[in-house]
Structures are given as structure tokens and as C-alpha cells.
């Protein structure tokens, strides 16, 4: 029996219609377009304005886009992994609801949370299920409604984040394509530098926590930036070395879209030319779990069967890593 590898065979994406531009942010907090663009590379981000819609709405839309483009029957999906840092609610899994809503009633589903590395970790998990031989179609969705946890009076965070979702389908491959190698790491030192302080078991919700805005995302930007630059670049470089790849062997870098300077530092360490670095941060900002699959959805036309793709991400916790994947198809 041939060795099974796990390959991405379809992608989908979705972003809300409402555009929150830097110019609009200038009217909300003390900032300006030049300052934001210079430091982050972000020009605008998409926001899900509907108060009655959560992350599940974004995920459902991205999954439906994939299903329609790939022309697959949702009943054939074996499992769904929902990568998100902003579930609709506690306890009741967002992924389970999404599975039911898209008609994937034969699938089991659950949520995976590793902040901005959620989708990267999800790739490893989805691939392992496929490689086990037990599952044929694993749908991995990355989605976050970051606007639901952002304090729009805090200029340090409100300029960064946006809402969006992407999805990929992992299936067995017998040509050696798909996920080749991974290097995933975490370090609990990051717990103090990027977090939502209240709402969990440590500090349950109360009138006081709401009044103190402790349910919004908070970060020590300089510390997070320093760790992100070092660790994303280190992980990506190690993946190349471990697989005897040079910068000429890499066709594409798909980096987490948190900050253009972090992306540039990672690409610089790998000595990749700009044309190989896929970036859409200027249009969406940081959609957390949605960044990597949204890049795949936006640039799917560029990928050719056999292309070597390096994924890299860094998230709160801290969590980070890099994955080496061989693309499995030419878009029809």
C-alpha cells in the first residue's frame, strides 16, 4: 500500500462587506493613515457589522464557498476542525454548529484555539487524521470576528484586527504531495503579553470586569513584535534546513498576516524575493485564524501542482511554527 500524505484539494474564503479604512479610524482614535501604514502595512480591514452574527457566520460562508467551488457533497465530509480565537459562545462548540449549518451531518467537529497560530496547528491536526487512513475528507476552517473583542478606543489594537474566514479541504494523496514537515512550538511566557484578561475561569465575568474593559484583547506590542519576528523567522529557516531546501526551492511563503514588518523579516531571513511572498494584510488586517486560508483563497490562481509552500505563524500564548507543504493541484 502506498504511503498516504495529506494534501489540500480545495480552498474557500469570505470577508464581510463593510470596510474600515485607516481614514475612518482617524475619526475614532488619535492615529493617521501614514502612521498605521508605515508600522503595520494595513490600509483597511473588513468588519462584520451585524450584531446578531458571530464567527460561525464567517465560517459558514467560507465553507460554502469551498463546497461550491469544489462541487463536493457536504455529506462526504468526515470531520471539521474549527480554528478560532473568537467562538460564538463558551462550551457550545462553534465548529459543531457550522457543521450542521453547512449540511455536513456525517462529520464530527470541534474547535481548536491557539490564537493566531490556530490554523497552522489545525493543518497539522487535519493532516494527521488523513494520514491515519481513517478519514478521507477533513475540512479545516479558520475564522475570527476580531471586532467582537477589540476596544475601539485603544489605538494600539483597533488598527490591527479585522474579521474574516477561510477554509481548506484535506484529502489523501498518493503522489507524495501535501504536508511534508512541520515545526510547531509554544511558550507560556507569552500569557502576560497578549490576552483577554477576563471571561475565563481565572477571572469570571462580572460588572467590574466589563466596566474595566477586561473582555477586550490587550497586548504589549513591542514584546509581541520581538518574539514574533524572531520565532517566525527561526521556525521557517529550520524547516528549510531540515528538508534541504534553498530559497530557490521555495515557490511561495504564506505568512501569518499580523504586521508587514514581521512578514518582511521572515522573508528576509529566508532570502526570498518579494514576488514569492504572499501578502494581503493591506486589505484585511490581522484576521487571526483567518489569515493563512484567506491568503490561499486570494492567491489560489498562482499555485501550481508540486509547488513548495512554506507556512509560518505566530500567536498569543505564545504559539508559533512553520509548515512545509507541496501543492497538490492546478486550478481549473
Amino acid at each position: 500500500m502506498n504511503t498516504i500524505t495529506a494534501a489540500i484539494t480545495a480552498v474557500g474564503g469570505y470577508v464581510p462587506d463593510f470596510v474600515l479604512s485607516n481614514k475612518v479610524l482617524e475619526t475614532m482614535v488619535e492615529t493617521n493613515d501614514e502612521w498605521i501604514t508605515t508600522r503595520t502595512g494595513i490600509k483597511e480591514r473588513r468588519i462584520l457589522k451585524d450584531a446578531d452574527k458571530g464567527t460561525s457566520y464567517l465560517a459558514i460562508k467560507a465553507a460554502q464557498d469551498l463546497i461550491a467551488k469544489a462541487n463536493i457533497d457536504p455529506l462526504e465530509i468526515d470531520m471539521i476542525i474549527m480554528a478560532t480565537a473568537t467562538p460564538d459562545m463558551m462550551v457550545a462548540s462553534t465548529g459543531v454548529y457550522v457543521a450542521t449549518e453547512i449540511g455536513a451531518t456525517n462529520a464530527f467537529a470541534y474547535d481548536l484555539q491557539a490564537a493566531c497560530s490556530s490554523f497552522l496547528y489545525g493543518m497539522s491536526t487535519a493532516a494527521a487524521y488523513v494520514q491515519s487512513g481513517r478519514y478521507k475528507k477533513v475540512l479545516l476552517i479558520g475564522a475570527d470576528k476580531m471586532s467582537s473583542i477589540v476596544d475601539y478606543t485603544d489605538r494600539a489594537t483597533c488598527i490591527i484586527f479585522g474579521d474574516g474566514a477561510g477554509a481548506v479541504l484535506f484529502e489523501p494523496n498518493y503522489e507524495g504531495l501535501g504536508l511534508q514537515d512541520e515545526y510547531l512550538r509554544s511558550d507560556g511566557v507569552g500569557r502576560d503579553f497578549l490576552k483577554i484578561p477576563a471571561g475565563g475561569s481565572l477571572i469570571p465575568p462580572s460588572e467590574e470586569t466589563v466596566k474595566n474593559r477586561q473582555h477586550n484583547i490587550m497586548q504589549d506590542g513591542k514584546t509581541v513584535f520581538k518574539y514574533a519576528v524572531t520565532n517566525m523567522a527561526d521556525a521557517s529557516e529550520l524547516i528549510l534546513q531540515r528538508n534541504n531546501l534553498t530559497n530557490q526551492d521555495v515557490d511561495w511563503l504564506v505568512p501569518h498576516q499580523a504586521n508587514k514588518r514581521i512578514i518582511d523579516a521572515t522573508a528576509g531571513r529566508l532570502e526570498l524575493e518579494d514576488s514569492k511572498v504572499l501578502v494581503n494584510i493591506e486589505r484585511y488586517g490581522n484576521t487571526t485564524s483567518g489569515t493563512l486560508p484567506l491568503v490561499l483563497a486570494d492567491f489560489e490562481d498562482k499555485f501550481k501542482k508540486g509547488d513548495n509552500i512554506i507556512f509560518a505563524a505566530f500567536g498569543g500564548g505564545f504559539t508559533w511554527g512553520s509548515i512545509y507543504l507541496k501543492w497538490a493541484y492546478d486550478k481549473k
Side-chain angles (χ1 to χ4, degrees):
M1 180 175 168
N2 293 336
T3 301
I4 301 172
T5 52
I8 292 174
T9 58
V11 303
Y14 175 78
V15 291
D17 293 332
F18 182 83
V19 176
L20 179 58
S21 67
N22 291 348
K23 289 296 183 182
V24 174
L25 279 173
E26 288 178 6
T27 69
M28 299 167 61
V29 291
E30 187 180 343
T31 191
N32 60 72
D33 174 68
E34 182 185 8
W35 193 92
I36 297 171
T37 304
T38 301
R39 286 161 179 78
T40 69
I42 302 168
K43 282 291 188 181
E44 57 189 39
R45 61 290 293 146
R46 300 297 185 94
I47 304 296
L48 181 59
K49 298 290 282 186
D50 310 61
D52 62 340
K53 291 183 173 66
T55 294
S56 61
Y57 178 81
L58 304 169
I60 290 165
K61 287 289 191 180
Q64 289 173 336
D65 181 52
L66 181 151
I67 289 167
K69 290 196 302 187
N71 192 28
I72 65 168
D73 183 348
L75 294 175
E76 294 178 357
I77 298 171
D78 298 311
M79 66 173 296
I80 294 175
I81 300 172
M82 179 74 206
T84 186
T86 56
D88 283 4
M89 60 183 75
M90 301 291 283
V91 181
S93 167
T94 301
V96 170
Y97 177 71
V98 170
T100 298
E101 290 299 297
I102 65 173
T105 53
N106 289 324
F108 75 97
Y110 61 86
D111 296 354
L112 187 157
Q113 205 281 79
C116 291
S117 301
S118 296
F119 189 85
L120 190 79
Y121 282 22
M123 290 177 66
S124 170
T125 307
Y129 277 113
V130 170
Q131 289 165 349
S132 75
R134 293 181 180 177
Y135 305 95
K136 303 297 184 187
K137 285 182 167 60
V138 177
L139 181 64
L140 171 62
I141 306 170
D144 273 303
K145 185 183 178 182
M146 294 303 293
S147 62
S148 67
I149 59 172
V150 166
D151 177 0
Y152 284 95
T153 67
D154 176 15
R155 66 175 183 173
T157 55
C158 74
I159 65 170
I160 298 170
F161 297 101
D163 303 338
V168 302
L169 185 68
F170 274 93
E171 294 187 89
N173 183 277
Y174 300 94
E175 301 176 88
L177 303 171
L179 198 146
Q180 305 293 307
D181 195 14
E182 62 184 46
Y183 178 78
L184 305 176
R185 289 293 183 270
S186 59
D187 188 341
V189 70
R191 179 173 161 119
D192 293 328
F193 301 115
L194 179 53
K195 62 186 177 181
I196 297 176
S201 61
L202 187 63
I203 307 176
S206 67
E207 184 178 346
E208 194 73 13
T209 62
V210 173
K211 186 172 68 176
N212 293 334
R213 298 180 182 271
Q214 290 176 276
H215 297 273
N216 297 120
I217 191 166
M218 300 177 181
Q219 73 168 354
D220 177 339
K222 290 183 179 179
T223 301
V224 173
F225 180 86
K226 181 183 71 173
Y227 274 91
V229 166
T230 301
N231 288 312
M232 266 182 65
D234 283 352
S236 302
E237 187 175 43
L238 186 145
I239 277 286
L240 261 63
Q241 292 173 352
R242 205 156 73 178
N243 291 277
N244 297 314
L245 298 173
T246 70
N247 60 343
Q248 297 301 311
D249 298 317
V250 176
D251 294 293
W252 308 105
L253 173 67
V254 177
H256 171 51
Q257 310 284 304
N259 185 302
K260 183 62 164 57
R261 292 187 295 166
I262 298 173
I263 295 171
D264 290 344
T266 303
R269 177 78 73 82
L270 303 184
E271 299 182 345
L272 292 178
E273 53 197 70
D274 290 346
S275 61
K276 292 184 174 184
V277 184
L278 301 182
V279 179
N280 59 12
I281 191 174
E282 72 282 357
R283 290 184 289 135
Y284 305 142
N286 181 356
T287 57
T288 304
S289 307
T291 65
L292 296 181
L294 274 174
V295 169
L296 295 181
D298 277 0
F299 295 99
E300 185 185 12
D301 289 346
K302 289 181 174 289
F303 303 142
K304 298 290 184 283
K305 185 176 180 179
D307 278 359
N308 290 321
I309 303 178
I310 303 298
F311 293 81
F314 182 89
F318 290 125
T319 60
W320 72 93
S322 181
I323 283 177
Y324 165 35
L325 177 137
K326 280 185 172 291
W327 197 249
Y329 66 96
D330 297 316
K331 188 179 177 185
K332 296 178 183 177

